[in-house]
Amino acid sequence: MTFGEMRAWTERFNQICGAALMFKYQRLDNMLNDLVLAHGPHDDHARQLYLAVMDEMEV
């Protein structure tokens, strides 16, 4: 994952977390699916972001 890609993913994550709760968990779930499809399980940065999204979904 490049720096630019990580920045885009992080901005998306922050935008979802700052939005209304109505669709938050659905949007986070969609983000997880997109992240896995785009980068797979072997990218360390994608894995860290995946874990951060999962933590946010548990709150």
Side-chain angles (χ1 to χ4, degrees):
M1 178 183 302
T2 66
F3 176 80
E5 290 172 326
M6 186 62 174
R7 181 176 180 210
W9 284 108
T10 302
E11 287 175 358
R12 181 177 172 187
F13 176 65
N14 289 333
Q15 192 270 335
I16 291 170
C17 290
L21 291 176
M22 187 173 184
F23 297 108
K24 179 179 179 179
Y25 295 107
Q26 180 182 0
R27 292 178 66 198
L28 286 171
D29 190 48
N30 289 341
M31 182 179 170
L32 287 178
N33 290 334
D34 293 345
L35 188 62
V36 169
L37 289 174
H39 297 285
H42 302 294
D43 187 308
D44 291 333
H45 298 294
R47 187 175 323 119
Q48 289 297 328
L49 184 57
Y50 183 94
L51 293 174
V53 173
M54 290 298 293
D55 284 344
E56 183 66 27
M57 291 177 75
E58 291 178 3
V59 172

